[in-house]
Amino acid sequence: MYKFTITPKTDNKGNYYLKREVQGYFHSKYESGAGQWRVKGSIENVICTLKNDITPYTEEELQNVCNKLEIILKTDLPQVLKLSGKNSLVVCVVPRAKVNYKPNQLYFKKTVSKVANQLPGFIDGSEYIKRVKDTKTTHRARSGHGGNGDMPYPGITINTCDFSKDVMGKDIMLVDDLYTNSVNIDEDAIQALFDKGANSVVFYSIGAKLGVK
């Protein structure tokens, strides 16, 4: 597992995605554009398979990567909790870009929820952030298949999601499948949690694009 700092970010008009530094962690670097997503067992393959929105995967393939993800989470999350210095963390998940996904496209969140319910020191908050308005699917937008909605802008998370009141005053671990330091989706989601009253936020992702230090 790697440790990094997520720094304050603004758009080109000076509007903030994120207003403060936040501690981040990720399991493995993500190599894009090298066909690594085809290598079974790689972090790229796990993330691509769980998205399940370009190449269709069988239920057996999906369950295999869920098992791999579960092992990763059970290894890393207790370390994050210890490093956070908190007694417990509420585990929230960055919602996918669209309102309506098939059940077999939501196995990432389902697996995070399962692990959060099994590990001591964690509270399952996987339903605390719910998408209510479509946004562009950023990893497909370049090819023209991003679908309805906007690309990331400061405040997009609050404008397109509902938040549970249970985030108020809580210490949050925000989980995503992939952190990309030029997209600002995660930064905006972190700031939204602070705006909704979270006491603290640490971030964790399975993969991170190269360029993260």
Side-chain angles (χ1 to χ4, degrees):
M1 187 178 73
Y2 298 83
K3 181 179 179 180
F4 72 111
T5 300
I6 303 178
T7 58
K9 299 279 185 68
T10 63
D11 64 6
N12 56 14
K13 297 180 181 179
N15 299 308
Y16 277 95
Y17 288 102
L18 179 64
K19 297 178 181 179
R20 67 181 87 176
E21 284 190 354
V22 169
Q23 190 61 63
Y25 305 88
F26 63 93
H27 181 75
S28 178
K29 293 180 180 178
Y30 184 101
E31 301 284 351
S32 59
Q36 187 69 9
W37 63 273
R38 296 186 180 91
V39 180
K40 291 189 176 181
S42 68
I43 209 69
E44 294 83 0
N45 179 259
V46 170
I47 291 171
C48 180
T49 303
L50 289 173
K51 287 188 182 299
N52 198 24
D53 58 3
I54 300 176
T55 302
Y57 293 95
T58 66
E59 186 65 21
E60 181 181 2
E61 289 173 309
L62 290 166
Q63 290 305 318
N64 284 339
V65 295
C66 284
N67 292 338
K68 170 76 173 178
L69 175 60
E70 188 173 336
I71 292 169
I72 291 171
L73 293 171
K74 286 183 175 179
T75 300
D76 288 355
L77 265 56
Q79 296 181 56
V80 175
L81 177 61
K82 183 177 180 180
L83 290 168
S84 75
K86 305 295 183 181
N87 292 323
S88 66
L89 291 170
V90 176
V91 180
C92 295
V93 179
V94 177
R96 295 199 64 177
K98 307 302 182 190
V99 174
N100 295 313
Y101 282 98
K102 297 177 183 177
N104 66 2
Q105 294 176 311
L106 296 171
Y107 279 138
F108 178 81
K109 184 172 78 168
K110 184 177 180 180
T111 304
V112 172
S113 173
K114 177 183 177 181
V115 172
N117 279 295
Q118 291 177 345
L119 290 177
F122 293 96
I123 299 165
D124 180 16
S126 59
E127 296 292 336
Y128 284 12
I129 310 174
K130 292 186 177 182
R131 180 77 62 198
V132 294
K133 184 178 179 181
D134 285 353
T135 62
K136 289 288 187 189
T137 304
T138 55
H139 70 278
R140 303 196 68 189
R142 288 184 180 179
S143 62
H145 296 92
N148 298 327
D150 296 320
M151 288 293 285
Y153 63 83
I156 190 172
T157 311
I158 283 181
N159 291 343
T160 60
C161 296
D162 281 344
F163 285 75
S164 167
K165 293 180 180 179
D166 291 330
V167 305
M168 178 76 69
K170 299 299 195 305
D171 297 310
I172 306 289
M173 175 192 289
L174 182 64
V175 178
D176 201 0
D177 58 351
L178 179 63
Y179 174 80
T180 306
N181 62 349
S182 60
V183 175
N184 294 312
I185 289 174
D186 294 319
E187 284 84 351
D188 192 75
I190 293 167
Q191 185 59 50
L193 285 166
F194 282 125
D195 291 345
K196 292 295 183 177
N199 180 60
S200 68
V201 182
V202 294
F203 175 81
Y204 172 82
S205 63
I206 307 304
K209 289 285 185 74
L210 292 176
V212 176
K213 298 181 180 178

